[in-house]
Amino acid sequence: MDSETVIFAAETGSFEMRKPELLERRNAKWRQYPSDVIPAFVADMDFRIAPAIQRAIQHSVEAFDYGYPMRDGGKADRAVASAFVNRMKNVCGWDVAEAQVLVLADLVQAIYASVMAFSDPGDGVIVQMPSYPPFRDAIATTGRTCVPLTMQATDRSYVFDLEALEATVDANTKIFMLCNPQNPTGRAFTRDELLEVLAFVEKHDLIVISDEIHSDLVYHGTRHIPFASLSPSAAARTVTLNSATKSFNIPGLRCAVAYFGTEELMQRFHKRIPVRLIGSVNSIGIDATVAAWTEAQPWLDEVLNHLKEMRDHVVATLRREIPGIRFQVPDATYLIWLDCSDLGIEGSAFDFFLERARIGFSPGEAFHPECEKFVRMNFATSKPILDEMLDRMITAVRSNRR
Amino acid sequence: MDSETVIFAAETGSFEMRKPELLERRNAKWRQYPSDVIPAFVADMDFRIAPAIQRAIQHSVEAFDYGYPMRDGGKADRAVASAFVNRMKNVCGWDVAEAQVLVLADLVQAIYASVMAFSDPGDGVIVQMPSYPPFRDAIATTGRTCVPLTMQATDRSYVFDLEALEATVDANTKIFMLCNPQNPTGRAFTRDELLEVLAFVEKHDLIVISDEIHSDLVYHGTRHIPFASLSPSAAARTVTLNSATKSFNIPGLRCAVAYFGTEELMQRFHKRIPVRLIGSVNSIGIDATVAAWTEAQPWLDEVLNHLKEMRDHVVATLRREIPGIRFQVPDATYLIWLDCSDLGIEGSAFDFFLERARIGFSPGEAFHPECEKFVRMNFATSKPILDEMLDRMITAVRSNRR
């Protein structure tokens, strides 16, 4: 091992945390359930954060640097905007304008704000189903109408049928909520699929709210395609949402971006949602995000390698040991959407695994009211914990058969 | 010195920071101007934060505890709500209901949200003048109309004239923005004054947005009186805004509360402003706020002693050396509102002191368009820095006379 390798290992290795350390954390993942339950629900990874991020945080802590923050001679949130511009250029080959980046606390906030800015009560909002629950909450809470676009399972993948959607869309439909990569199915859509969506939204003159928070977590080395990067016309109608909190594992630090494809779109947004209604973002979240996007790629590469191994391990083990569970191999995300309809479970799959296997998955019905026999599994953990989880699943399913 | 005293000193003393340390900070206060300028503008103190707060932050940092936070078995923001309930009870003798505490990023956000929730475009909003600039921005940006209530200087104090206000209030006036203690005048209103405001808002059926962020920084040992604590009728129409960020010097960590005096008032707010439009608060700001409100009072007591000394020093020095500057002794806040109209300054007082004394005050015209000959001075610094600032003021004013 030459010295460069050693440095690299010190920088990126050893991110896996053991159970005693995890139990020290005061996060929802490890505190929601009694300690005999293995949590696999909320999108939080059982990993130490990147050393570069930790250093950025410690820098502020050591200097008692908690004042109104400035960075690089300007307002601190502009450092996040600038880091986003550079990252989109370097990672996706996409040119974005710094002035059109709004920095805010989280994606759910951005979704509520965008729904309120670009539609009125009663208007329709298209949402892929199953979906991350706050999407539908944003539609219901603001008095908009949900127009579902079903993700259909084929033998190899989850696909959507825009022709079928035509029947449910009308002049009151104003927004297409795109989640790419999609949560919970793990689909990373192809350019052709995205172009189909573009033709659809152009035909119906829809605004696109594109949640791309899982864009760093794509396997196969395929590059993420931001929807707004498809064409100037796509950009002009799209609010792109992203954050370092998911892929760099800092959700508690609350920092995200909403990117408006044109100045006009941003102005239209701010007519209803003044910038200061959004609230300022905290300095620790800002520094952590900048460090993530500018210095922490080596850590993320290592984590992705590990996640891919864990994904493949889950896939191979479930296929071999519990063939009754149906699923597609996720293209992206550390989440897998498990259809347990054929297991002969009474009640919900979530309750079954919680009671019989002491595993806390995300309940399928939270993502789709009809998916009570599904669970969403988070496999972003260490191999020993994942193995224990798989063993418990196998045992519970086998004992259920008898 | 017995051992208890030593512990106390270690816990609370040595909060003053020297200039080299301050220049290391990446906050607006020390980065906005070239290093030869002494900054005395933004409400940020040149002090190290309380050890209890620092420990709370370090606890998370050492455990890599940046996940979706839970505290005390519930959502982390509820720990802030609970700490606020206890503090209001202990410090102000005021009973508040935890369920009516909304935790958000900052007071300006809360002001925008409350203006949007409780009035419509075109409606009038009463604001004390001079005022913290974002108050008037919130009114203008959201298309409401500013109804000014002038803070009039008497020989001893700043007072307001509600009888005169009657002439400018009409059926479209919906909100009374109260700032108590008032920024920039430093007035902490008496119970009688607050009761007058209450009679006024009851007569005109107004909602009160009461910014009480300086409530911890009252001198003379008089207890702060929350406006909503005056009576159930006051509570029913009041949104009380507070935060630990000002008095405990952690503005970059972004955590504040809006307290609704009744469930009905909170529901009315959320009809227009869904809770998730507000965004979640970061875990570091949450822990810091809880530590501030529950463990950091000894530090605050020491800081208040120091601030009172600095206030008295400014007052005595200016009276003796620059009698042409008129001001009232602030009852509260570490800010003093200096009327420099009699100094014969050409142009603004802000420009004069920036150019001739290399001091960065807050410009008076930011608080009131007619107050170009005023500056707001922040005296929350160490004695050596304050002395240098006073010396520079004296020299600049004397050289201007010649």
Side-chain angles (χ1 to χ4, degrees):
Chain A
M1 205 183 267
D2 62 22
S3 66
E4 218 163 54
T5 318
V6 173
I7 289 165
F8 190 73
E11 276 295 280
T12 61
S14 74
F15 52 77
E16 292 172 66
M17 293 176 85
R18 290 166 311 120
K19 212 164 159 186
E21 293 172 284
L22 291 166
L23 288 168
E24 284 301 302
R25 282 185 163 180
R26 295 167 303 159
N27 59 6
K29 191 169 186 186
W30 287 91
R31 291 287 166 113
Q32 183 117 317
Y33 291 106
S35 62
D36 67 319
V37 172
I38 303 179
F41 63 111
V42 65
D44 200 336
M45 300 193 276
D46 291 340
F47 305 149
R48 258 178 230 99
I49 64 168
I53 303 176
Q54 183 74 349
R55 277 197 302 271
I57 295 171
Q58 278 169 335
H59 183 91
S60 278
V61 172
E62 282 159 18
F64 295 87
D65 202 3
Y66 307 119
Y68 290 101
M70 278 183 85
R71 296 292 180 269
D72 314 322
K75 277 193 68 190
D77 74 316
R78 293 297 89 196
V80 172
S82 166
F84 179 71
V85 169
N86 291 331
R87 189 163 179 88
M88 287 305 101
K89 180 73 179 166
N90 297 336
V91 175
C92 306
W94 181 33
D95 285 310
V96 308
E98 203 225 274
Q100 288 151 228
V101 182
L102 174 67
V103 181
L104 29 63
D106 55 70
L107 258 74
V108 175
Q109 178 185 35
I111 287 164
Y112 273 73
S114 300
V115 166
M116 292 174 76
F118 297 116
S119 67
D120 291 299
D123 284 347
V125 178
I126 297 165
V127 61
Q128 291 156 301
M129 293 288 287
S131 78
Y132 177 54
F135 282 18
R136 283 171 295 128
D137 294 344
I139 297 169
T141 303
T142 61
R144 274 65 171 173
T145 305
C146 186
V147 180
L149 170 61
T150 304
M151 298 290 295
Q152 294 160 329
T154 65
D155 347 338
R156 290 184 312 103
S157 194
Y158 278 95
V159 297
F160 49 78
D161 182 350
L162 293 175
E163 271 180 53
L165 186 64
E166 289 284 355
T168 54
V169 165
D170 62 24
N172 289 324
T173 308
K174 299 290 169 60
I175 293 174
F176 192 117
M177 270 193 197
L178 180 69
C179 183
N180 179 35
Q182 213 260 342
N183 171 10
T185 62
R187 274 303 316 282
F189 300 112
T190 63
R191 183 173 293 272
D192 284 346
E193 286 173 304
L194 295 175
L195 286 171
E196 262 187 74
V197 172
L198 178 58
F200 187 91
V201 298
E202 285 177 339
K203 178 176 171 192
H204 294 282
D205 194 19
L206 306 178
I207 291 290
V208 178
I209 303 174
S210 187
D211 166 9
E212 303 185 7
I213 199 168
H214 290 94
S215 59
D216 281 325
L217 300 169
V218 181
Y219 304 111
H220 332 298
T222 54
R223 216 158 71 151
H224 169 71
I225 305 166
F227 183 80
S229 74
L230 289 176
S231 74
S233 144
R237 60 177 72 248
T238 301
V239 188
T240 304
L241 308 182
N242 216 322
S243 172
T245 57
K246 190 75 64 193
S247 36
F248 294 94
N249 211 32
I250 46 174
L253 298 183
R254 311 273 93 191
C255 183
V257 298
Y259 178 69
F260 300 88
T262 60
E263 269 181 57
E264 294 65 35
L265 193 68
M266 191 174 201
Q267 281 163 10
R268 205 178 135 194
F269 176 88
H270 280 312
K271 260 190 157 167
R272 290 205 184 173
I273 309 289
V275 65
R276 300 201 72 171
L277 175 63
I278 290 298
S280 301
V281 173
N282 77 94
S283 56
I284 305 284
I286 286 171
D287 291 340
T289 298
V290 171
W293 280 343
T294 57
E295 300 176 61
Q297 190 62 45
W299 177 92
L300 183 58
D301 290 341
E302 291 278 301
V303 165
L304 270 175
N305 284 340
H306 174 80
L307 289 176
K308 187 166 184 299
E309 266 178 50
M310 295 306 99
R311 181 196 67 166
D312 294 344
H313 183 54
V314 169
V315 164
T317 307
L318 291 183
R319 279 187 181 152
R320 189 176 65 236
E321 305 291 341
I322 322 182
I325 297 182
R326 287 179 296 176
F327 57 85
Q328 309 296 339
V329 181
D331 309 320
T333 81
Y334 46 76
L335 309 165
I336 186 164
W337 181 235
L338 303 177
D339 179 355
C340 306
S341 312
D342 292 348
L343 295 184
I345 288 169
E346 301 218 354
S348 73
F350 168 78
D351 283 341
F352 172 81
F353 285 110
L354 183 60
E355 283 157 24
R356 306 285 192 92
R358 303 304 280 159
I359 300 173
F361 289 128
S362 295
E365 60 270 33
F367 298 83
H368 193 307
E370 291 167 17
C371 291
E372 199 206 19
K373 303 294 180 193
F374 287 67
V375 290
R376 189 190 74 172
M377 176 185 190
N378 172 347
F379 55 79
T381 190
S382 62
K383 181 110 187 316
I385 292 175
L386 191 63
D387 274 334
E388 193 180 334
M389 191 152 41
L390 291 166
D391 286 348
R392 289 187 190 189
M393 287 174 77
I394 294 162
T395 307
V397 170
R398 285 188 185 154
S399 73
N400 192 48
R401 269 191 224 138
R402 280 175 213 131
Chain B
M1 206 186 264
D2 62 21
S3 66
E4 217 163 56
T5 317
V6 173
I7 290 165
F8 190 73
E11 277 295 281
T12 62
S14 73
F15 52 77
E16 293 172 66
M17 292 176 85
R18 290 166 313 121
K19 214 165 158 186
E21 294 172 282
L22 292 166
L23 289 168
E24 284 301 303
R25 282 186 163 179
R26 295 166 303 159
N27 59 6
K29 192 169 186 185
W30 286 92
R31 291 285 166 114
Q32 183 116 316
Y33 292 106
S35 62
D36 66 319
V37 171
I38 303 178
F41 64 112
V42 65
D44 200 335
M45 300 192 278
D46 290 340
F47 305 150
R48 258 177 228 99
I49 65 166
I53 302 176
Q54 184 74 348
R55 277 196 301 271
I57 295 170
Q58 279 169 333
H59 183 92
S60 277
V61 173
E62 282 159 18
F64 295 86
D65 202 3
Y66 308 118
Y68 289 101
M70 279 183 83
R71 298 292 180 269
D72 313 322
K75 279 194 64 190
D77 74 316
R78 293 297 90 196
V80 172
S82 167
F84 179 70
V85 169
N86 291 331
R87 188 162 179 88
M88 287 304 102
K89 180 73 179 166
N90 298 336
V91 174
C92 306
W94 181 34
D95 285 310
V96 308
E98 204 225 273
Q100 288 151 230
V101 181
L102 174 68
V103 181
L104 30 63
D106 56 69
L107 259 74
V108 175
Q109 177 185 34
I111 287 164
Y112 272 74
S114 300
V115 166
M116 292 173 77
F118 297 117
S119 67
D120 291 299
D123 285 347
V125 178
I126 297 165
V127 60
Q128 292 157 301
M129 293 287 289
S131 77
Y132 177 54
F135 282 18
R136 282 172 296 128
D137 295 344
I139 297 169
T141 304
T142 61
R144 276 65 173 173
T145 304
C146 187
V147 180
L149 170 61
T150 304
M151 299 290 293
Q152 293 160 328
T154 65
D155 342 340
R156 288 183 313 103
S157 194
Y158 278 95
V159 296
F160 48 79
D161 183 350
L162 293 176
E163 271 180 53
L165 186 63
E166 290 284 355
T168 54
V169 165
D170 63 22
N172 289 324
T173 309
K174 299 290 168 59
I175 292 174
F176 191 118
M177 270 193 197
L178 180 68
C179 181
N180 179 35
Q182 213 260 341
N183 171 10
T185 64
R187 274 303 318 281
F189 300 112
T190 63
R191 183 172 294 272
D192 284 348
E193 285 173 306
L194 295 175
L195 286 170
E196 260 186 75
V197 172
L198 178 57
F200 186 91
V201 297
E202 285 177 339
K203 179 176 170 190
H204 295 283
D205 195 19
L206 305 178
I207 293 289
V208 178
I209 303 174
S210 187
D211 165 9
E212 304 185 7
I213 198 169
H214 290 95
S215 60
D216 282 325
L217 300 169
V218 181
Y219 304 111
H220 334 297
T222 54
R223 218 159 69 154
H224 169 71
I225 305 165
F227 184 79
S229 74
L230 289 175
S231 75
S233 144
R237 59 177 72 248
T238 301
V239 189
T240 304
L241 308 182
N242 216 322
S243 172
T245 56
K246 190 74 65 190
S247 35
F248 293 94
N249 212 32
I250 46 175
L253 298 184
R254 311 273 93 191
C255 183
V257 297
Y259 178 69
F260 299 89
T262 60
E263 268 181 58
E264 293 67 34
L265 193 68
M266 191 174 201
Q267 281 163 9
R268 206 178 134 194
F269 175 88
H270 280 312
K271 259 190 157 166
R272 290 205 183 171
I273 308 289
V275 64
R276 300 200 73 170
L277 175 64
I278 291 298
S280 300
V281 173
N282 77 94
S283 57
I284 305 284
I286 286 171
D287 290 339
T289 298
V290 171
W293 279 344
T294 57
E295 299 176 62
Q297 190 62 44
W299 177 93
L300 183 59
D301 291 341
E302 291 277 303
V303 164
L304 269 175
N305 283 340
H306 174 80
L307 289 175
K308 187 167 184 299
E309 265 178 51
M310 295 305 101
R311 180 196 67 166
D312 295 344
H313 182 55
V314 169
V315 165
T317 308
L318 292 182
R319 279 188 181 152
R320 191 178 62 236
E321 306 291 340
I322 322 182
I325 296 182
R326 285 178 297 176
F327 57 85
Q328 307 296 338
V329 180
D331 308 320
T333 80
Y334 47 75
L335 309 165
I336 187 163
W337 180 235
L338 303 176
D339 177 357
C340 306
S341 311
D342 291 348
L343 295 184
I345 288 168
E346 301 220 354
S348 74
F350 168 77
D351 284 340
F352 173 81
F353 285 111
L354 183 60
E355 284 158 23
R356 307 285 191 91
R358 304 304 281 160
I359 300 173
F361 290 127
S362 296
E365 59 270 33
F367 297 83
H368 193 307
E370 291 168 16
C371 290
E372 198 207 19
K373 303 296 180 191
F374 287 66
V375 290
R376 191 189 73 172
M377 175 185 189
N378 172 346
F379 55 78
T381 190
S382 63
K383 181 109 186 319
I385 292 175
L386 191 63
D387 274 334
E388 193 179 335
M389 189 151 43
L390 291 166
D391 286 348
R392 290 188 189 187
M393 287 175 77
I394 294 164
T395 307
V397 170
R398 285 190 185 152
S399 74
N400 192 48
R401 266 190 226 137
R402 280 177 215 131

